[in-house]
Amino acid sequence: MLINTVFGFGAAFAPNIYVYIALRFVVGATVSGILINTLILGTEWLGVAQRSVATILCHCCFATGLMVLAGIAYAIRNWRLLQITGSVPMAILFFYIWVLPESGRWLAVQGRKEDAKTLILKAASVNKRKIPEGLIDKLEEEKITKSGSIVDLFRNSYLRTITIVMSYIWFVNSLIYYGLGLNIGSFGLDIYLTQFIFGAVEVPARLGCIFVLERFGRKRCQAFVLFFGGTFCLLILAIPKDLPVAITTLAILGKFFIASSFSIGYVYAAELFPTVVRQNGVGLTSTFARVGGIIAPLIGLVEVYHEAIPMVVFGVTSLLASILCLLLPETLNKELQDYVDQTNAKKRSRKHEKGSVKARYLQHNEPTNVLQSSWL
């Protein structure tokens, strides 16, 4: 956040476009790190029932920021002053490092048992919860420190499938999200109004995810919103250019479903990866999302060859992502996994019939979670 603030303010005083681009590049890189750390920290502290709610409410603030940005940009036409104004909120929020606690789950799997116990007891006290008997002893007995790396995401076949599919889904989300957002000038309406509407439509799109995720699960919801997001992008091709309101409406609907897909993807990815590689897994998928954001404006440029190409790319890639969702497991009402070994045990147990001696053995010997969300 410190780097983000410094370079954000610095961009306001850039002497030329090249320096400005370099400074904004650093700002964009830091934003990705802030978003990922916020997601991971919230996911590892919250219980099963609260994870999706908290993540999506944070995303609603993101949508609110888009609307506020449209108003600020409309009111402040001096780009240097606009840069300074946009960097002030980050400077104000820098105090969070002294307020938010480290992840107790992460501390436990890293072997920092005393620090983890202190934070767990504090969380239980604040929430007026009673620590189950044996929990503290369990943390003391678990002496093995387990860590993971990005290599584990591809060494393990279960995690490899999750990593590849989620990376593609995040890539598509970002490609279409920014592809539509950066293309607002071609829809035929005022760019400030369109930007405001794009931000406003994300609020119900993201809030609606809270209810459907808890009712229908992550897997089906992710596939559903990707399917309709791609469908509306393709439907834009059927509307004549002299009907800008109709085109903008379909673009808004496409943005609606892709914004929902983004929120679901954040919740889903954080639940799919074990604690020891969660930061690596979400970081890698987020990297592919950034690649999608980089490619998005380039896709818009190829419409000089044929005006249908951008929407065809957005639509087809989204429909393919919808199909790939079928390869992912469901995480609704499931405790977070802490170790890579848990994914191996789960995969092996599914190969045997339910109730068999082998399956019962695997379930009995499956690595246990360091923390249960109900304890907090």
Side-chain angles (χ1 to χ4, degrees):
M1 295 185 77
L2 177 61
I3 295 174
N4 181 287
T5 302
V6 171
F7 281 79
F9 278 107
F13 304 97
N16 55 61
I17 185 64
Y18 304 106
V19 174
Y20 177 80
I21 291 174
L23 293 172
R24 292 301 299 179
F25 176 86
V26 176
V27 171
T30 59
V31 167
S32 298
I34 293 169
L35 290 175
I36 293 172
N37 282 308
T38 301
L39 169 68
I40 299 301
L41 191 60
T43 299
E44 294 183 353
W45 266 119
L46 295 170
V48 173
Q50 294 81 29
R51 284 200 298 259
S52 61
V53 177
T55 301
I56 292 170
L57 287 178
C58 289
H59 286 191
C60 288
C61 295
F62 185 86
T64 303
L66 288 177
M67 292 187 288
V68 172
L69 178 61
I72 293 175
Y74 181 81
I76 303 175
R77 300 303 176 94
N78 183 297
W79 70 270
R80 294 185 186 275
L81 184 57
L82 180 61
Q83 289 294 322
I84 294 174
T85 304
S87 300
V88 169
M90 192 63 72
I92 296 174
L93 289 174
F94 186 70
F95 76 93
Y96 94 104
I97 193 172
W98 292 281
V99 177
L100 294 181
E102 181 56 87
S103 167
R105 185 182 295 270
W106 180 82
L107 289 171
V109 299
Q110 294 300 315
R112 296 169 59 179
K113 308 301 180 183
E114 291 301 321
D115 293 335
K117 285 160 50 179
T118 300
L119 291 178
I120 292 170
L121 291 171
K122 181 178 180 180
S125 175
V126 171
N127 294 326
K128 296 180 174 56
R129 295 293 185 92
K130 182 179 180 181
I131 297 292
E133 295 183 8
L135 171 59
I136 301 300
D137 294 335
K138 178 182 177 181
L139 287 176
E140 293 175 344
E141 292 170 1
E142 183 64 57
K143 298 296 183 182
I144 300 176
T145 300
K146 300 183 179 181
S147 61
S149 68
I150 197 168
V151 177
D152 292 320
L153 299 175
F154 297 95
R155 183 186 294 124
N156 181 293
S157 61
Y158 177 84
L159 289 178
R160 183 165 58 247
T161 300
I162 290 174
T163 302
I164 293 173
V165 174
M166 288 305 298
S167 294
Y168 179 73
I169 290 174
W170 279 49
F171 168 81
V172 171
N173 283 339
S174 187
L175 179 72
I176 302 176
Y177 184 89
Y178 292 108
L180 293 175
L182 295 173
N183 204 33
I184 59 176
S186 65
F187 296 139
L189 296 180
D190 179 77
I191 60 172
Y192 297 102
L193 176 61
T194 305
Q195 173 68 22
F196 179 84
I197 295 174
F198 270 18
V201 76
E202 288 191 24
V203 176
R206 297 178 188 277
L207 284 176
C209 292
I210 296 175
F211 306 101
V212 297
L213 281 176
E214 299 306 316
R215 181 173 179 82
F216 300 105
R218 282 60 163 152
K219 180 177 179 177
R220 282 187 287 182
C221 289
Q222 185 79 79
F224 177 87
V225 294
L226 282 167
F227 175 81
F228 279 97
T231 299
F232 282 113
C233 287
L234 293 176
L235 286 177
I236 291 176
L237 302 175
I239 307 299
K241 287 290 186 181
D242 58 352
L243 296 175
V245 175
I247 293 175
T248 304
T249 300
L250 289 176
I252 290 172
L253 289 172
K255 184 78 178 296
F256 177 95
F257 285 104
I258 292 302
S260 298
S261 180
F262 237 137
S263 289
I264 294 171
Y266 269 85
V267 175
Y268 205 6
E271 293 178 344
L272 285 170
F273 293 105
T275 300
V276 292
V277 292
R278 184 169 295 118
Q279 192 84 9
N280 294 318
V282 177
L284 182 61
T285 56
S286 181
T287 299
F288 279 91
R290 304 291 81 78
V291 173
I294 293 171
I295 295 176
L298 303 180
I299 296 296
L301 296 178
V302 300
E303 68 177 353
V304 297
Y305 300 103
H306 196 290
E307 60 184 14
I309 293 178
M311 290 305 161
V312 169
V313 172
F314 296 157
V316 172
T317 54
S318 186
L319 293 177
L320 178 58
S322 176
I323 295 173
L324 290 177
C325 287
L326 301 177
L327 300 176
L328 297 174
E330 181 55 72
T331 59
L332 177 63
N333 296 326
K334 301 288 181 63
E335 285 288 347
L336 293 178
Q337 298 175 16
D338 289 316
Y339 304 117
V340 175
D341 294 344
Q342 289 176 285
T343 65
N344 292 326
K346 182 180 294 187
K347 181 177 63 177
R348 291 195 304 269
S349 66
R350 284 202 299 262
K351 293 181 179 179
H352 300 275
E353 292 182 2
K354 185 177 180 179
S356 68
V357 175
K358 180 69 173 179
R360 288 197 298 271
Y361 172 81
L362 289 170
Q363 293 169 1
H364 177 73
N365 291 278
E366 181 177 329
T368 56
N369 284 7
V370 171
L371 300 179
Q372 296 289 325
S373 60
S374 59
W375 297 345
L376 306 176

